[in-house]
Amino acid sequence: MTSIIELCGVRIAFDGHEVLRGIDLTVQEGEILTVMGGSGSGKSVLLKLIAGLITPDSGEIRIHGTDIVPLDEEELLPFRQRMGVVFQQAALFDSMSVEENVAYPLQEHTQLTEAEIRSRVAELLEVVGLPGVQRQYPAELSGGMRKRVGIARALALKPAVVLYDEPTSGLDPGNAKLISELIANLTRAFTTTSIVVSHDLHWSFTISSRLALLYQGELVAVGSPSELRSSTIPEVQAFLAGDLN
């Protein structure tokens, strides 16, 4: 498999507190990599670093072989356009309709006509199982529906990588199952690479190609679901037992 993202010696601290301590991680093209860990372990910070939203204090973050750490905002733009982000609360614009929300990146970053954009939006909403909701507003949707609209928007520019921040957070078991299976199906259908930050053990082990466990800012284990289940690393065993904070 081809490496699409490589982190080498990534460190970052906030107010003197080191959140990530020398992270080395390779993400393979086409896989679903789920990053897990207790509260405050640095999971969401890792996602923001990969998205280029924050800069590490040291280390390299290579995307398709290019280190994005020294790049300025303009140089980062092509990388961001090839990367979709699904935020924890979906981060939809409340004052915009569903259609306007999903169309936003297409209007900002493509030369498509209005008719082509409407067609693309309808196609994306169909893909996430929400046909015909274009005229509704986020406040009219359930939590699970908002997540799916967020996923549709993240896929709008046909990204190579999609980053999911706690995609099942706050959802009932039925919607958590739906969103998890949707991530797995879309990763295959759109031939994307998915990086998921999650606390949901069941669905993470069900859909992931590999899992990475962060503990106190360090990556203590990376492997397939079966490798982590059989791991003898104390932090892995404690996390699987629900005893790792």
Side-chain angles (χ1 to χ4, degrees):
M1 295 177 75
T2 306
S3 299
I4 192 168
I5 296 170
E6 294 173 277
L7 280 71
C8 305
V10 171
R11 292 178 177 272
I12 189 168
F14 298 105
D15 299 323
H17 171 63
E18 198 164 31
V19 177
L20 294 177
R21 310 163 184 262
I23 299 297
D24 294 317
L25 178 65
T26 298
V27 183
Q28 305 292 344
E29 197 167 28
E31 76 171 332
I32 300 175
L33 174 74
T34 297
V35 181
M36 307 192 78
S39 179
S41 60
K43 304 185 300 294
S44 292
V45 170
L46 183 65
L47 213 62
K48 289 176 182 174
L49 285 164
I50 293 170
L53 298 174
I54 55 176
T55 304
D57 298 324
S58 62
E60 296 181 355
I61 301 171
R62 293 197 289 268
I63 299 177
H64 289 300
T66 300
D67 183 10
I68 66 167
V69 173
L71 304 185
D72 61 28
E73 287 294 310
E74 189 175 339
E75 292 168 327
L76 274 171
L77 193 57
F79 293 93
R80 287 182 177 153
Q81 288 175 0
R82 298 288 289 136
M83 198 175 290
V85 182
V86 181
F87 297 98
Q88 186 171 343
Q89 302 301 329
L92 302 178
F93 299 110
D94 291 335
S95 60
M96 291 184 179
S97 68
V98 167
E99 183 171 60
E100 290 167 333
N101 266 283
V102 179
Y104 184 77
L106 296 167
Q107 291 168 333
E108 290 289 305
H109 301 296
T110 74
Q111 302 299 316
L112 295 177
T113 66
E114 285 301 313
E116 288 169 331
I117 288 175
R118 280 196 299 274
S119 175
R120 175 75 175 147
V121 170
E123 173 194 328
L124 287 163
L125 291 173
E126 183 85 37
V127 162
V128 299
L130 292 175
V133 301
Q134 284 91 322
R135 295 188 182 281
Q136 294 190 44
Y137 283 78
E140 301 175 78
L141 306 178
S142 68
M145 291 170 76
R146 285 196 294 272
K147 297 262 186 174
R148 284 188 275 165
V149 172
I151 292 171
R153 186 177 61 186
L155 292 170
L157 296 176
K158 301 180 180 178
V161 179
V162 182
L163 310 176
Y164 297 88
D165 190 8
E166 297 282 8
T168 62
S169 175
L171 299 181
D172 61 76
N175 271 309
K177 177 178 187 287
L178 189 153
I179 294 296
S180 299
E181 290 177 344
L182 186 61
I183 291 169
N185 292 336
L186 293 175
T187 301
R188 288 191 295 269
F190 283 74
T191 58
T192 60
T193 301
S194 296
I195 304 175
V196 184
V197 159
S198 182
H199 67 283
D200 190 324
L201 276 173
H202 173 71
W203 286 111
S204 295
F205 273 82
T206 301
I207 70 168
S208 302
S209 315
R210 289 189 303 147
L211 301 112
L213 180 63
L214 276 171
Y215 177 64
Q216 294 186 349
E218 296 183 352
L219 211 49
V220 295
V222 181
S224 68
S226 61
E227 287 171 335
L228 260 70
R229 280 196 188 96
S230 61
S231 174
T232 57
I233 298 170
E235 291 86 355
V236 176
Q237 293 179 331
F239 183 75
L240 296 182
D243 297 330
L244 189 68
N245 293 318

